[in-house]
Amino acid sequence: MPDNNKVNRRGFLRTAAGAAAGAMAIPYIVPSSVFGADGGVAPSNRLHVGVIGVGGQGTWDMRGFLDKSEALVVAVCDIDVKRQKAAKAEADLKYGNNDCKTYLDFRDVIGRSDIDIIATAIPDHWHSIPAIMAAEAGKDIHGQKPLARTIKEGRAICDAVKRYGRIWQTGSWQRSVANFRRACELVRNGRIGKVHTVEVGLPTGSTRGNESIKPVPEGVDWDMWLGPAPWVPFRGVLHWDWRWIMDYSGGQMTDWAGHHIDIAHWALDLEHTGPVEIEGHGTYPKDGIFNVPYEYKVTTKYANGMTMIIANDRQLPHGMGTCWYGDMGWLHVTRDEPIHANPKSVVDEVIGPNEIHLYESKDHHQNFLDCVKSRRETITPAEVAHRSLTPALLGEIAMLTGRKLKWDPEKEVIVGDDEANRMLSRPMRSPWHLYM
Amino acid sequence: MNRLLKIIAVITVIFYGGCKTMKEKVPAPASAAAPAAKDAFGEQLSKIKAYDFDKSRVDLIKVSDMIREASGKPEMKAMEKQLDDFLKSDASYAAKDFVCRELSVAGTEASVPALASMLTDEKVSDIARYALERIPGPAVDDALRNALRKAKGNAKIGIINTLGVRGDKKAVDALAKLTNDANETVAVAAVAALGRIDDRMATIAIAMVKDKATGATKTAALDAYLRCADRLAAKGQKDAAGAIYKQLYAAGEPMPIRVAAARGMIETAGDKTAEVIVEMLKSTDKPIQTVAIATLKDVAKTDVIKAAAEQLVNLEAAQQAQLVCALADCGDKVALPTVLAATKNSHDYVRVAALRAVGTLGDVSAVDMLVETVASRGGEEQKAAQESLYRLRGPDVDDEILKKLPDAEPKAKVELVRSCEQRNIKIAVPVLMKTAKDADAKVRIESIKALRALAGPQDISALIELQLAAAGNDRGELEKTVVVVAHKTPEDKGQSQAVLAALPSTEDVEAKCSLLSVLGKIGDEAALPVLRDALGDKEDKIKDAAVRALSDWPTAAPAADLLKVAQTSENQVHKTLALRGYVRLAGLKSNRPAEETMKMYKDAMSLAADVSEKKMVLSGLGSTDSFEAMEMASSYLDDKELKDEAEAAVVKIAEERVKNSPRVSAQTRDILQKVIDGTTNDSVREQAQKLLKQGK
């Protein structure tokens, strides 16, 4: 049974008030490393970064900022004290001081008026609330993919980022890798003709048996970890393995949507729309603590008649990655491999200056920092992340209902299916709600 | 902790579930149409009554499947009634949680009484709300409003949140009252909920709260008021929205709110957008200047962009750089004069931003300036000008570059040649053929590299002429260019034809060697007889070139020729070169039987004259996927001089074999164990141990 007195109400209010009342830290001084030649950045001009969630991905992001001379990681936050300490030690070692502060409650980090940037790498069910709070507090945000756990939460993040004029970058770093951009430019410029089908191969999931109820590990705030998700007792799933439980994630399909579906959309100029029809089938664990499908195949249709198939890699001829099929050939791109195409000569085609050239970023974290200073849109803004994730979240609903869905990408509603529409959002456990 | 939770659960079930059960009447059959289905469902439901979070989900999944199967069918009505009754039973918390989740998708207003009865109990309120929040219909709203009056603590806050999510207009009065609640968390939730309700009275209530509230409630009211304005703007009520934005833009409000309001003001300003943006650019508050700059792209009207561009000179350098970037993103050429002027700014980062913007907004008139900047500046400015030169759009830009190229100064010429390559100007080939003979070495090399990208099969004879006439580094670069361009010819159309045609009339030995080298790299079968003949040439240099060319061959076709040279040549250099080439060819992917490959390595090993050549053979052997190869490599494990290479080869072969088939034979195990026992290299030992563990 849940203990509903555990939420720290005092902290809740203190930080909510403190965040918006604080001075807004837009970086007015544009260091020469951004636009100029010298590269040196005075400490007073550094962008202060608070990292919320310092597990594997969050630590990777933190290192991305530690490596940049214009960023200064001043705060790390995690519901696991061990992880806080490890992240602090790494930041302090880098800077040769003891200045990085640790926090258990993300609201205390957002409440700091000296912080310019909030970087979040937390379980998916937690993505929306801190992001919206950070936007309201005037922070720029680097948020990990997938953008949110539900379509309505994703839309709320986009709206808040736009409303408060914030810079947002999603951790869809593949866009900052030359190979992926090049593949997208080749497809966008018609080198394989008119695309009729795109296959998106994502990892296969996994299963696990039932788990006994266990004591919460020392130094872990379990109630805070659950946050807006329904209460359940601790069963040993804390870091990473939450990925396979539906309350917190949609599994590999929603996790990787921000990579390979994102790339598929980028090449086809579909970044601001979505499919109009979705159907799918998933193989769900027959028992055990994990409950997201480990095998899945979702077929979507777009208004232009194109088909996108999203499936775990074992069900697609090219496996992982994105493969576009056009009326003049096909082209496949994935990580750590050269671009493959038919005809082969497509790979060496030059894109001329009068053709379409896509947004270029050579370093994902640097692109974010540059945009924080220039106030330009990043290579992976919130709206794009929202649209990259939508086909996967709709696929999840199609698999759960077992029905073919019709989607209105403009209004963002499922047409004529009341039950399916209910799954566009999730009720949040009290006292959490989107606009804290 | 675990035990305590269980005790609480039992007490709750006894008190809550038990009381409810006593009050219940025996339910009448809801549908006579499907009694069998109902009974089966009831039976399945009874199996999950004692479910807890650590138990098997098999029976839960069966219930889910039955509900999904009944979706939209008449029997669902009776099943929903059974689910409602289940909530009133003494079932466990975990089981009720599961049922609430099912009702959140399949439930109707019929479930409201059962769910509503749970709303005021803090322990089960959340799970009841999980279902109710998603169920459509006014009965749900009525139930939530009724419960709001009685609920306390987190249950009350949850109900407030759900009323907000549902946008219940009838809840406005009650929520407005709660904005004064002594408990600030309740007040904040009420304000936030009002902000989600599309209702005039809700907006008025928020306006009143924002003026009198303090702390977190005030913050929530300001955010909620912004959301009201956004909603009005989205509905086309721009005047009403604009009025709210103007209030929130006032100097006393927190800066994040002012920034958001400024954005709203710009977006709802209509004909006065330019005026509003200019006013904001003149603000002394930099965040306001910045949001005006960042919003420019969303407005994208020529008069607005022009007005903003005119303000550039009045801004501080950082905002100038931001505005230049924004002007580039707008893509309107009206800003070009401002951007060009900014390329002469006194701040380097403004100049760099402007040079980059020229690449987006500029046209043919910018070619001179960019070329001059690339040739005369360094660092980021040079890079920015270079990139813009490559990106500059317009049909006449390429012509202008070609026109300027022949008479340009060497530094500028180099940049113009690079531009030809980067811009893919195919018609530049004749000009580049000439600049490939330029007096300046850098111009020549850049031209040869550009030809690699731009020349086609029709140009190959001219390129060969250049190759034969060139010397030193130029000839080396031209050889690479000829190979790349030859490969652009379809395989069945004779990729080496032009080179073969040039060979008989080429008398100069160095030039002949250069052609032979190119033939080896092209790898066209038609050239093999010519290279074989050249092995018997009287000139040592020609022989040498032929051995090297055959060693470069892309398949193992000339392996026998190289073996023969290695076995019979009297020239030690040729012997060594041929052996190296032979080992390389043995390692290329091929469909020949494994025994033949093994024979190749054995032959090579027998010819290896010293330790370095033996090491080379072992290194090649490591990429052979066969047990015989591993056995051969293992035979050198006791050789002090070859031990390291032998160990590496064994592990590499074993890795490949385990990857393809996890079963490891006893003989392989013995070999790996020998590596583990004998090696002094920790990494090799670890790899071998890992392989033994992996292999079943």
Side-chain angles (χ1 to χ4, degrees):
Chain A
M1 282 290 235
D3 176 356
N4 279 0
N5 293 318
K6 282 206 92 178
V7 172
N8 178 346
R9 219 172 282 170
R10 193 166 48 82
F12 202 81
L13 296 173
R14 183 184 66 234
T15 48
M24 194 173 184
I26 287 180
Y28 305 113
I29 298 162
V30 184
S32 55
S33 61
V34 181
F35 301 120
D38 306 320
V41 183
S44 58
N45 288 346
R46 283 176 154 186
L47 296 163
H48 288 195
V49 182
V51 186
I52 298 172
V54 279
Q57 186 61 53
T59 302
W60 190 82
D61 283 329
M62 182 183 76
R63 287 175 189 150
F65 292 116
L66 287 174
D67 285 346
K68 308 293 179 215
S69 60
E70 62 263 62
L72 190 71
V73 177
V74 297
V76 291
C77 172
D78 204 287
I79 54 87
D80 185 340
V81 170
K82 269 188 209 158
R83 291 192 161 195
Q84 285 173 22
K85 286 181 180 169
K88 174 185 163 54
E90 194 165 337
D92 287 347
L93 183 69
K94 170 78 182 177
Y95 298 133
N97 59 30
N98 190 31
D99 294 350
C100 183
K101 299 281 181 277
T102 55
Y103 298 87
L104 194 75
D105 189 327
F106 68 90
R107 291 165 294 191
D108 293 330
V109 183
I110 293 172
R112 270 180 64 166
S113 61
D114 64 325
I115 286 181
D116 306 294
I117 289 169
I118 294 292
T120 64
I122 42 188
D124 303 355
H125 70 286
W126 253 124
H127 280 192
S128 57
I129 294 171
I132 292 169
M133 279 184 84
E136 288 170 6
K139 314 295 185 191
D140 294 320
I141 305 144
H142 178 280
Q144 264 309 328
K145 32 78 20 197
L147 183 70
R149 183 63 193 95
T150 68
I151 289 177
K152 287 207 174 165
E153 285 175 46
R155 173 51 59 208
I157 292 173
C158 294
D159 289 348
V161 166
K162 189 181 175 208
R163 179 177 303 122
Y164 285 91
R166 307 325 308 156
I167 299 300
W168 173 283
Q169 189 191 54
T170 317
S172 301
W173 55 264
Q174 287 184 177
R175 285 199 178 209
S176 295
V177 175
N179 221 28
F180 285 99
R181 190 184 70 256
R182 167 119 181 105
C184 291
E185 283 185 347
L186 288 167
V187 174
R188 185 81 82 97
N189 284 294
R191 296 302 196 271
I192 56 166
K194 188 174 183 232
V195 173
H196 51 79
T197 307
V198 54
E199 287 171 349
V200 178
L202 310 176
T204 302
S206 59
T207 59
R208 180 158 144 187
N210 291 298
E211 290 286 343
S212 62
I213 296 166
K214 300 173 174 71
V216 176
E218 200 181 324
V220 169
D221 186 337
W222 177 242
D223 194 80
M224 190 65 165
W225 190 94
L226 286 172
W231 180 87
V232 290
F234 181 70
R235 289 169 292 173
V237 169
L238 183 64
H239 302 312
W240 176 238
D241 272 342
W242 51 263
R243 173 67 64 211
W244 322 109
I245 299 176
M246 224 179 286
D247 277 346
Y248 322 120
S249 168
Q252 296 284 32
M253 183 172 70
T254 57
D255 181 29
W256 278 71
H259 286 312
H260 293 320
I261 296 178
D262 180 52
I263 294 298
H265 274 179
W266 200 19
L268 299 167
D269 198 14
L270 293 171
E271 302 163 276
H272 295 279
T273 184
V276 293
E277 277 179 19
I278 307 96
E279 59 186 324
H281 174 74
T283 311
Y284 290 82
K286 290 189 170 59
D287 196 6
I289 191 167
F290 295 170
N291 59 3
V292 297
Y294 52 93
E295 300 251 1
Y296 46 90
K297 191 167 191 176
V298 172
T299 303
T300 67
K301 272 211 183 302
Y302 284 69
N304 62 5
M306 193 206 70
T307 300
M308 183 195 282
I309 299 163
I310 308 155
N312 59 305
D313 51 350
R314 292 176 195 166
Q315 298 193 64
L316 292 177
H318 288 91
M320 285 286 289
T322 308
C323 188
W324 300 267
Y325 297 86
D327 53 18
M328 287 160 52
W330 58 260
L331 189 142
H332 174 257
V333 67
T334 191
R335 293 181 186 177
D336 306 321
E337 275 184 34
I339 297 168
H340 293 106
N342 184 25
K344 280 183 187 173
S345 56
V346 166
V347 174
D348 299 319
E349 291 261 345
V350 178
I351 309 291
N354 292 314
E355 295 188 274
I356 297 164
H357 288 260
L358 296 173
Y359 190 136
E360 185 174 3
S361 154
K362 291 173 182 163
D363 178 328
H364 205 57
H365 289 107
Q366 188 63 57
N367 168 257
F368 175 60
L369 295 173
D370 287 351
C371 291
V372 167
K373 290 165 199 152
S374 68
R375 310 313 293 171
R376 283 179 130 164
E377 200 166 67
T378 68
I379 192 159
T380 51
E383 180 69 27
V384 165
H386 177 60
R387 297 295 189 169
S388 303
L389 176 60
T390 297
L393 289 174
L394 289 171
E396 183 183 32
I397 297 172
M399 289 192 291
L400 285 169
T401 57
R403 291 192 289 271
K404 184 176 185 172
L405 308 177
K406 287 193 183 300
W407 174 245
D408 180 338
E410 188 73 25
K411 293 180 186 156
E412 299 197 322
V413 290
I414 296 165
V415 182
D417 193 330
D418 162 56
E419 281 186 14
N421 267 317
R422 297 186 194 188
M423 298 185 201
L424 295 178
S425 67
R426 288 185 177 201
M428 291 185 172
R429 190 168 65 107
S430 183
W432 299 103
H433 59 102
L434 279 180
Y435 304 104
M436 301 299 292
Chain B
M1 176 73 181
N2 188 14
R3 201 173 156 209
L4 182 66
L5 284 172
K6 281 185 177 167
I7 291 166
I8 293 169
V10 169
I11 291 169
T12 308
V13 166
I14 291 169
F15 177 72
Y16 178 81
C19 290
K20 293 286 174 191
T21 308
M22 282 192 290
K23 288 177 193 168
E24 275 170 29
K25 290 175 187 173
V26 177
S31 166
K38 186 191 145 192
D39 290 343
F41 186 63
E43 197 179 315
Q44 192 56 43
L45 266 183
S46 67
K47 290 183 186 170
I48 67 166
K49 276 181 93 175
Y51 170 72
D52 203 356
F53 293 105
D54 56 349
K55 300 290 186 300
S56 165
R57 291 190 301 115
V58 168
D59 286 320
L60 301 186
I61 292 168
K62 283 181 187 163
V63 171
S64 282
D65 289 345
M66 291 170 97
I67 293 171
R68 197 163 77 157
E69 181 61 30
S71 174
K73 294 179 183 167
E75 56 262 39
M76 187 58 222
K77 200 174 171 187
M79 287 163 70
E80 184 178 358
K81 175 76 173 68
Q82 285 173 288
L83 291 168
D84 296 342
D85 292 343
F86 187 91
L87 291 177
K88 296 174 197 162
S89 75
D90 60 355
S92 67
Y93 173 85
K96 287 183 180 176
D97 170 77
F98 164 77
V99 165
C100 286
R101 287 164 187 256
E102 294 295 324
L103 285 171
S104 82
V105 177
T108 68
E109 285 181 298
S111 294
V112 170
L115 291 164
S117 68
M118 299 161 72
L119 275 175
T120 49
D121 182 342
E122 275 205 71
K123 292 192 168 61
V124 288
S125 182
D126 273 335
I127 59 172
R129 211 166 41 75
Y130 194 97
L132 282 169
E133 189 168 306
R134 284 170 150 183
I135 296 173
V140 177
D141 300 325
D142 292 343
L144 286 163
R145 267 183 267 114
N146 287 335
L148 182 63
R149 285 195 287 272
K150 297 171 240 164
K152 287 178 183 157
N154 272 355
K156 187 175 193 171
I157 295 164
I159 292 166
I160 293 169
N161 295 340
T162 293
L163 284 166
V165 171
R166 294 175 66 87
D168 179 18
K169 293 183 183 183
K170 288 185 183 169
V172 170
D173 279 350
L175 292 171
K177 281 176 195 150
L178 290 171
T179 61
N180 293 318
D181 200 279
N183 180 337
E184 203 174 22
T185 309
V186 171
V188 167
V191 172
L194 284 169
R196 300 181 82 152
I197 300 174
D198 184 6
D199 180 75
R200 192 169 152 267
M201 294 311 293
T203 307
I204 291 169
I206 293 164
M208 290 167 71
V209 175
K210 89 170 173 56
D211 288 335
K212 62 182 181 188
T214 55
T217 312
K218 165 126 183 154
T219 305
L222 292 169
D223 174 63
Y225 207 33
L226 271 172
R227 283 187 277 124
C228 291
D230 284 357
R231 199 162 44 233
L232 288 167
K235 287 198 290 187
Q237 297 175 34
K238 299 211 168 179
D239 289 344
I244 295 177
Y245 291 134
K246 209 168 176 183
Q247 286 178 51
L248 295 173
Y249 182 65
E253 303 296 359
M255 191 52 84
I257 297 294
R258 292 192 64 212
V259 165
R263 182 202 55 81
M265 282 172 71
I266 294 167
E267 288 182 353
T268 52
D271 295 344
K272 292 185 174 167
T273 308
E275 204 179 298
V276 171
I277 283 193
V278 167
E279 187 198 321
M280 288 176 183
L281 289 174
K282 287 179 179 171
S283 166
T284 51
D285 292 318
K286 290 195 172 66
I288 300 299
Q289 289 181 339
T290 297
V291 73
I293 291 166
T295 312
L296 208 52
K297 188 164 77 97
D298 301 330
V299 178
K301 286 182 188 160
T302 298
D303 65 316
V304 179
I305 294 163
K306 188 168 180 284
E310 285 166 0
Q311 293 301 311
L312 187 119
V313 289
N314 302 321
L315 298 172
E316 287 186 16
Q319 279 63 51
Q320 284 186 344
Q322 289 172 346
L323 182 54
V324 166
C325 291
L327 293 172
D329 291 343
C330 289
D332 193 321
K333 283 190 185 295
V334 74
L336 184 59
T338 306
V339 166
L340 286 170
T343 62
K344 297 179 178 66
N345 195 285
S346 58
H347 291 88
D348 61 352
Y349 55 85
V350 180
R351 290 200 301 276
V352 171
L355 285 165
R356 285 192 184 142
V358 170
T360 308
L361 300 176
D363 53 29
V364 68
S365 66
V367 172
D368 271 348
M369 183 274 288
L370 291 173
V371 172
E372 193 192 318
T373 307
V374 180
S376 62
R377 305 282 173 84
E380 288 294 312
E381 271 185 84
Q382 184 186 50
K383 212 170 131 194
Q386 209 167 33
E387 281 169 9
S388 286
L389 191 58
Y390 301 160
R391 285 191 294 123
L392 215 52
R393 296 173 84 93
D396 41 2
V397 175
D398 290 353
D399 292 341
E400 183 70 8
I401 287 170
L402 287 178
K403 203 171 99 189
K404 292 193 177 307
L405 210 160
D407 302 321
E409 292 298 311
K411 273 190 174 176
K413 204 182 257 185
V414 166
E415 291 312 322
L416 289 163
V417 167
R418 285 179 181 155
S419 301
C420 289
E421 181 188 347
Q422 293 295 323
R423 297 177 63 83
N424 198 30
I425 309 176
K426 302 257 189 213
I427 56 166
V429 170
V431 180
L432 294 171
M433 289 283 188
K434 286 181 189 161
T435 53
K437 293 184 279 189
D438 197 276
D440 185 276
K442 217 168 178 185
V443 173
R444 290 199 306 276
I445 293 295
E446 288 303 324
S447 300
I448 295 165
K449 285 181 182 171
L451 283 166
R452 209 171 290 163
L454 300 173
Q458 70 282 2
D459 305 309
I460 196 133
S461 296
L463 286 169
I464 292 167
E465 266 182 49
L466 280 174
Q467 177 196 346
L468 296 176
N473 198 18
D474 289 12
R475 181 176 274 175
E477 289 296 332
L478 275 158
E479 284 175 8
K480 289 181 200 163
T481 298
V482 169
V483 172
V484 169
V485 176
H487 280 147
K488 292 181 189 176
T489 304
E491 282 182 27
D492 59 344
K493 297 275 189 270
Q495 292 182 332
S496 63
Q497 202 174 9
V499 183
L500 290 170
L503 206 52
S505 57
T506 305
E507 287 180 6
D508 177 69
V509 173
E510 298 291 347
K512 219 170 191 167
C513 290
S514 175
L515 290 175
L516 292 176
S517 167
V518 164
L519 285 174
K521 289 189 174 79
I522 294 173
D524 176 17
E525 270 188 38
L528 259 183
V530 176
L531 291 172
R532 282 176 179 140
D533 283 352
L535 286 175
D537 201 282
K538 57 185 179 192
E539 281 282 353
D540 261 6
K541 280 187 179 174
I542 302 280
K543 279 188 197 166
D544 187 275
V547 173
R548 287 176 195 271
L550 290 171
S551 299
D552 281 338
W553 203 257
T555 70
D561 305 286
L562 290 170
L563 180 64
K564 195 175 165 194
V565 174
Q567 285 168 335
T568 61
S569 177
E570 289 170 6
N571 182 319
Q572 191 50 48
V573 175
H574 293 171
K575 279 173 86 99
T576 305
L577 285 173
L579 184 63
R580 275 187 201 160
Y582 184 69
V583 172
R584 179 185 160 268
L585 299 192
L588 294 177
K589 275 190 181 170
S590 134
N591 293 326
R592 68 175 165 262
E595 308 87 71
E596 280 184 32
T597 304
M598 281 309 301
K599 183 172 181 324
M600 287 176 82
Y601 281 113
K602 281 178 184 166
D603 288 344
M605 193 56 104
S606 70
L607 289 167
D610 55 28
V611 170
S612 70
E613 288 186 349
K614 285 179 182 168
K615 284 182 177 177
M616 177 182 72
V617 177
L618 281 170
S619 171
L621 192 62
S623 55
T624 309
D625 177 16
S626 75
F627 175 73
E628 289 71 24
M630 196 193 305
E631 208 172 25
M632 179 177 163
S634 71
S635 67
Y636 296 90
L637 286 172
D638 297 326
D639 185 322
K640 279 183 187 171
E641 290 180 311
L642 298 174
K643 186 171 158 284
D644 291 350
E645 279 68 25
E647 286 170 357
V650 166
V651 169
K652 198 171 166 197
I653 297 165
E655 259 175 358
E656 197 56 32
R657 293 183 67 71
V658 168
K659 206 193 293 172
N660 296 333
S661 163
R663 194 166 290 282
V664 174
S665 68
Q667 291 151 306
T668 302
R669 285 182 170 279
D670 289 347
I671 294 173
L672 284 170
Q673 194 57 53
K674 189 172 179 184
V675 171
I676 292 165
D677 295 342
T679 188
T680 53
N681 182 324
D682 292 344
S683 157
V684 166
R685 187 182 307 108
E686 277 169 28
Q687 275 176 285
Q689 282 167 336
K690 199 172 148 195
L691 287 166
L692 273 185
K693 265 189 200 169
Q694 277 175 4
K696 292 170 189 168

